Amino acid sequence: MDIRVERLCKSYGDQQVFRDYGALFPEGKVSCITGSSGKGKTTLLRLLMGLEQPDSGMIHGLEGARLSAVFQEDRLCENLSPLSNLRMVCRKRVSKQELVRALERVGLTGCEEKPVRELSGGMKRRVSILRALLAEFDVLLLDEPFKGLDAETYLKVTAYVREEIRGRTAILVSHDPRDMERLGGVEFRL
Amino acid sequence: MKDSITSGKAGNRKRESIRLWAVALWLVLWQLLSLKIGQEILLVSPASVAFRLAELVGKGDFWRSILFSFERILLGFTLALSMGILFAALSSFCRPVREFLQPAVLVMKSTPVASFTILCLIWIPSRNLSVFISFVMVFPVIYTNLLEGILSTDPQLLEMAEIFRLPLARRIRYIYLSQVMPYFRSACTISIGMCWKSGIAAEVIGMPKGSIGEKLYQAKIYLNTPDLFAWTMVIIVVSRLFERVFLFGMQKLLEKLERM
C-alpha cells in the first residue's frame, strides 16, 4: 500500500515545521526526502514512525505495517556484540554463520564478537544498517544512513542496501544527492 | 553510566585492590601498639589473635557458628535481592507502586539496626533475627539502585525497541540488562558487606544460640579480647569470600549472556 500524508501540520512551540504538508510515497519504491537542514526531514520520519504525533493531518498506509529503521544515531546496545545487536531484531532463529556472512557483505569481518563500543563510527553505522535490513519489515525508514562511511565502504554498503530493498517500500532522508542515485529513488524535496 | 555488563570497573578494582605490603605494615603497627600498651585486654597483639584463631579452627563449634550465621544472612540477602529486583521492575512502570514503596524504603534506609533489632525481637524468634535484619538493610539498596538503573535506560534504545516491535523478553535481555547491570553490580558490592555487618550486629543484640553474634557477645562479657578479634577476623574473611564468590558467579553469568 502507498503511504499517503495528508494536510500534515506540526509545530514545536512557535516554530512551524509542517503546514498542510502532503505527499504520496509509493509502495515498493525508494522515496528520498531531501532538503536543507531544519526543513523537518527527521521530523517527518519520526511522524511516520509514530514517535511523534502531528498537530493535525493524517498518515495513511502505515496501519499495522512492520517498520524497520536506521536512525540518525546508531542506537546500538554498546555493551553487546554486533552479533547480539543483530540477533535482537531477528524474528526467526538465524544461525551465527548467516549473521557473520551478512556482516562480511558490508565489510565487517573479525569484529562480530567484540562489544560495539570498541568499533569505529563507520563500523557501528554498518551494524545499524544491517540490523534494519535483517528485521522483518514492510516499510524501511532510513535517516542519513550512510554518513561517516569512507568512499569504498560507501559503494559497498549502498550496493548491498539497494539489492536488499529492491521492490520494497523504503523512505530515505538524506543531504547527499549520491544516496538517491545509488538507491535509485524518487525525490521528495521539502 | 556507560559501563560494560561484564568489564565492570576494572580500573577502579585495580586501584582499590589491597597490597600485601600495606597489610604487613598495618600488622606491624598493630603489634607495636599492642607492645607499647602492654595489656592484651585493651589491645590484643596480632600474634595472639592468630594463635586463638588457630585454636578455634580446630573446633566443630566454630564451624557450626559460621554456618548458622551464614545460612541466615545468606537467606536474608537472597530474599532482599529477589524482592528488590521484583519491586524495582514493578515500580519502574507502575508509578503508584513506586509512590507506595517510597516511604517504606526511606524508613528502612534511615532506621538504625538496633531499633529494628529490638522491635523485631518482639515479633520473631531471635534465631531468625539476622534473616530479617539482613533483608531490611539490603532491600533498599538493591531496590533504589536497580530502579535508578531502569529509569535511566537510554530512551533512544527504547524507541528503537518500539520501532522493531521487540517483545518484552528481548527488551529485558538486550536493553535493560545491559543498562542496569552496572547499577546492580555496585548495589550488590555495597550490600553484601552491609548485610554481614547488620546481621551480626543483630545477633549480638538478639544472641541467638550458636551464632557468631553470640560468640562476640560472650567475648565482650568475659573481656576476652583475643576471641573478639578472632571472631571479627572470621566475619571479615567470610564476608569478603562471599562477596568475591557472588560477584565472580554474576560476572560469569553475564559473560555467558553477552556471548549468547
Side-chain angles (χ1 to χ4, degrees):
Chain A
M1 193 191 286
D2 295 340
I3 300 162
R4 208 166 70 241
V5 179
E6 281 178 0
R7 301 180 67 84
L8 194 76
C9 294
K10 179 72 184 173
S11 303
Y12 293 102
D14 294 338
Q15 194 196 349
Q16 186 150 45
V17 185
F18 291 111
R19 189 176 163 191
D20 288 336
Y21 176 75
L24 186 84
F25 303 116
E27 186 187 6
K29 296 251 164 51
V30 180
S31 306
C32 300
I33 302 167
T34 58
S36 51
S37 297
K39 287 283 184 187
K41 300 188 294 296
T42 297
T43 304
L44 182 57
L45 272 200
R46 288 182 64 81
L47 287 162
L48 292 170
M49 286 181 203
L51 297 174
E52 303 264 353
Q53 293 306 311
D55 299 335
S56 62
M58 296 291 284
I59 297 170
H60 300 284
L62 285 174
E63 303 83 2
R66 293 169 306 171
L67 303 180
S68 184
V70 177
F71 299 88
Q72 208 168 45
E73 316 80 17
D74 299 314
R75 300 199 186 190
L76 298 167
C77 296
E78 295 270 320
N79 299 324
L80 303 180
S81 64
L83 281 180
S84 295
N85 272 281
L86 298 181
R87 205 169 276 139
M88 174 169 63
V89 299
C90 294
R91 289 277 146 186
K92 291 173 199 152
R93 195 148 182 85
V94 185
S95 72
K96 185 181 168 183
Q97 285 73 23
E98 283 174 83
L99 295 176
V100 170
R101 270 199 296 276
L103 285 163
E104 281 169 0
R105 293 281 307 272
V106 291
L108 290 171
T109 45
C111 64
E112 54 273 7
E113 305 273 12
K114 277 186 186 173
V116 162
R117 64 173 182 276
E118 290 177 14
L119 306 184
S120 70
M123 290 162 104
K124 286 181 187 175
R125 202 66 193 144
R126 280 177 275 169
V127 176
S128 179
I129 292 168
L130 210 49
R131 179 181 64 185
L133 294 174
L134 287 174
E136 283 180 6
F137 65 87
D138 302 311
V139 179
L140 176 66
L141 301 153
L142 305 142
D143 195 352
E144 305 276 3
F146 310 117
K147 67 175 180 191
L149 301 182
D150 62 69
E152 192 188 333
T153 312
Y154 175 81
L155 293 176
K156 186 185 262 185
V157 174
T158 47
Y160 177 68
V161 173
R162 183 180 180 136
E163 191 186 312
E164 290 294 313
I165 63 173
R166 183 170 294 143
R168 306 176 81 174
T169 310
I171 300 175
L172 165 79
V173 155
S174 178
H175 273 119
D176 190 341
R178 289 182 309 157
D179 293 355
M180 192 174 66
E181 286 164 28
R182 293 285 301 167
L183 298 189
V186 184
E187 187 178 16
F188 288 78
R189 193 155 185 87
L190 285 182
Chain B
M1 205 182 290
K2 292 280 177 196
D3 234 342
S4 149
I5 304 184
T6 53
S7 70
K9 294 178 176 172
N12 287 356
R13 275 206 296 274
K14 206 171 179 182
R15 276 199 297 277
E16 288 162 11
S17 65
I18 291 169
R19 301 278 164 198
L20 201 62
W21 69 262
V23 176
L25 190 61
W26 276 108
L27 286 174
V28 170
L29 284 173
W30 176 9
Q31 180 72 41
L32 290 175
L33 196 62
S34 167
L35 284 172
K36 169 98 177 135
I37 293 170
Q39 288 188 55
E40 289 255 310
I41 201 166
L42 288 180
L43 184 65
V44 67
S45 69
S48 302
V49 175
F51 182 70
R52 181 62 187 138
L53 208 49
E55 275 180 356
L56 286 173
V57 166
K59 291 179 181 171
D61 189 41
F62 170 80
W63 297 105
R64 274 194 295 278
S65 294
I66 293 177
L67 190 65
F68 180 98
S69 297
F70 182 74
E71 277 176 348
R72 282 157 181 79
I73 289 171
L74 180 67
L75 181 62
F77 179 77
T78 312
L79 283 173
L81 204 65
S82 332
M83 302 293 262
I85 295 170
L86 179 73
F87 282 106
L90 276 174
S91 296
S92 67
F93 65 84
C94 184
R95 202 181 172 86
V97 174
R98 199 187 320 164
E99 288 171 354
F100 173 72
L101 285 176
Q102 196 63 22
V105 170
L106 193 73
V107 167
M108 284 189 207
K109 272 183 181 171
S110 322
T111 309
V113 180
S115 308
F116 261 131
T117 308
I118 294 162
L119 193 63
C120 293
L121 275 173
I122 304 166
W123 300 334
I124 52 176
S126 66
R127 280 182 70 78
N128 296 324
L129 190 64
S130 49
V131 178
F132 184 76
I133 295 300
S134 303
F135 174 84
V136 291
M137 291 297 126
V138 172
F139 175 80
V141 181
I142 301 285
Y143 170 82
T144 313
N145 271 271
L146 272 188
L147 183 60
E148 196 191 331
I150 297 171
L151 293 180
S152 54
T153 300
D154 187 349
Q156 290 195 332
L157 287 182
L158 296 178
E159 270 188 4
M160 179 275 292
E162 201 61 44
I163 294 301
F164 285 104
R165 306 167 307 282
L166 296 188
L168 182 64
R170 285 192 189 201
R171 288 181 199 214
I172 293 172
R173 151 83 183 83
Y174 290 100
I175 298 175
Y176 285 112
L177 205 58
S178 73
Q179 299 270 306
V180 159
M181 262 356 265
Y183 291 87
F184 184 61
R185 186 204 312 275
S186 103
C188 287
T189 312
I190 299 165
S191 55
I192 288 174
M194 217 158 84
C195 77
W196 271 92
K197 280 193 245 180
S198 55
I200 300 293
E203 285 182 352
V204 171
I205 301 171
M207 280 190 302
K209 202 167 165 48
S211 66
I212 296 179
E214 189 206 15
K215 298 287 186 292
L216 279 178
Y217 186 78
Q218 281 174 354
K220 177 218 151 194
I221 54 168
Y222 295 118
L223 296 174
N224 190 345
T225 321
D227 263 29
L228 177 67
F229 273 70
W231 278 108
T232 306
M233 289 286 181
V234 169
I235 296 163
I236 294 169
V237 169
V238 175
S239 163
R240 289 291 294 167
L241 267 178
F242 176 51
E243 185 188 314
R244 285 289 176 94
V245 170
F246 180 83
L247 293 178
F248 178 78
M250 194 170 80
Q251 181 90 354
K252 289 289 154 200
L253 182 75
L254 291 170
E255 277 172 14
K256 204 173 165 186
L257 268 174
E258 212 169 64
R259 279 197 302 269
M260 266 166 63

